Amino acid sequence: MPKVNVSKTYKVPKRPFESARLDQELKLAGEYGLRNKREIYRVGLTLSKIRRAARDLLTRPEKDAKRLFEGNALIRRLIRVGVLDETKAKLDYVLGLRIDDFLERRLQTQVFKLGLAKSIHHARVLIRQRHIRVGKQIVNIPSFMVRLDSQKHIDFALTSPYGGGRAGRVKRKSLKAAASKEEGGAEEDEE
């Protein structure tokens, strides 16, 4: 069987029953409407890879070509996603990033913050049921990382009943029932 080039997307903590960490994870899961702890671990792994790269670059001399080139690329990528502020465009600030900074940039959180959903959980349901688009593209992944330039283009999908599309199944059924009731009522008046 050929070897497949895959890597893990999350990393579980070394100590599974540390009460302080468990409480913090539960708070994060509730605040950002996450489905399970794996979503936190996945963001944690991404953050640790970024911080490891920043630490490695910080050990190099100030004028080193690799530090300048890769450091700027890393910072530019983080600013574009909106995790790092433009005023803090230094490698030192990359080490200060937290999981919350990444969770804030998820589509689920952005939909709730923009007021398109009543709650963070409602936001997740709207996204999964294909009611939300970013630009012209319908996105049904709640963990989609919204870039700063895409943030203003988050809206209801054109095919969604919320975005002026065709009414939902129940609404259509109730309108049809109301129309047939009126027709029945109009016939009785004639007699």
Side-chain angles (χ1 to χ4, degrees):
M1 193 166 138
K3 202 171 188 184
V4 183
N5 190 15
V6 293
S7 60
K8 291 202 74 121
T9 57
Y10 68 97
K11 186 170 181 258
V12 294
K14 280 189 175 127
R15 295 183 173 186
F17 300 111
E18 203 173 14
S19 65
R21 197 202 73 255
L22 286 172
D23 293 340
Q24 183 199 10
E25 285 172 357
L26 194 63
K27 186 171 176 276
L28 278 176
E31 187 180 340
Y32 293 101
L34 305 178
R35 186 176 59 149
N36 52 29
K37 299 279 181 79
R38 192 188 313 136
E39 292 191 332
I40 298 173
Y41 301 152
R42 187 175 59 213
V43 173
L45 181 65
T46 308
L47 177 61
S48 72
K49 284 179 177 176
I50 289 168
R51 291 179 63 179
R52 185 186 303 137
R55 269 198 314 271
D56 177 49
L57 292 171
L58 280 168
T59 58
R60 296 175 175 276
E62 194 81 31
K63 300 290 183 199
D64 185 44
K66 184 173 180 176
R67 176 173 172 167
L68 291 171
F69 184 74
E70 288 186 12
N72 287 338
L74 178 68
I75 290 167
R76 194 171 58 247
R77 196 167 74 233
L78 291 173
I79 288 172
R80 191 173 62 204
V81 173
V83 175
L84 199 64
D85 194 18
E86 286 187 34
T87 58
K88 299 179 176 178
K90 284 194 174 148
L91 281 172
D92 298 327
Y93 292 110
V94 174
L95 296 179
L97 289 176
R98 299 190 338 270
I99 289 181
D100 312 42
D101 300 326
F102 283 88
L103 293 177
E104 279 294 328
R105 299 305 308 165
R106 286 165 51 100
L107 180 61
Q108 181 180 357
T109 312
Q110 293 300 319
V111 166
F112 174 58
K113 295 267 167 88
L114 287 170
L116 298 176
K118 297 173 186 168
S119 72
I120 196 87
H121 306 291
H122 184 223
R124 189 179 188 99
V125 171
L126 286 177
I127 294 165
R128 283 304 297 161
Q129 293 177 355
R130 301 171 58 85
H131 291 295
I132 303 294
R133 68 185 162 109
V134 179
K136 294 180 179 175
Q137 185 71 45
I138 291 177
V139 181
N140 67 339
I141 308 294
S143 63
F144 177 80
M145 293 299 269
V146 181
R147 291 182 177 178
L148 277 180
D149 53 352
S150 304
Q151 187 170 352
K152 53 186 167 287
H153 300 298
I154 298 173
D155 200 10
F156 287 116
L158 298 172
T159 54
S160 164
Y162 299 110
R166 182 175 164 205
R169 179 180 60 86
V170 175
K171 179 86 170 180
R172 289 196 311 268
K173 193 173 177 182
S174 60
L175 287 173
K176 187 177 176 184
S180 65
K181 187 177 177 185
E182 280 185 22
E183 284 179 18
E187 287 175 11
E188 287 175 12
D189 291 341
E190 290 173 7
E191 290 175 4

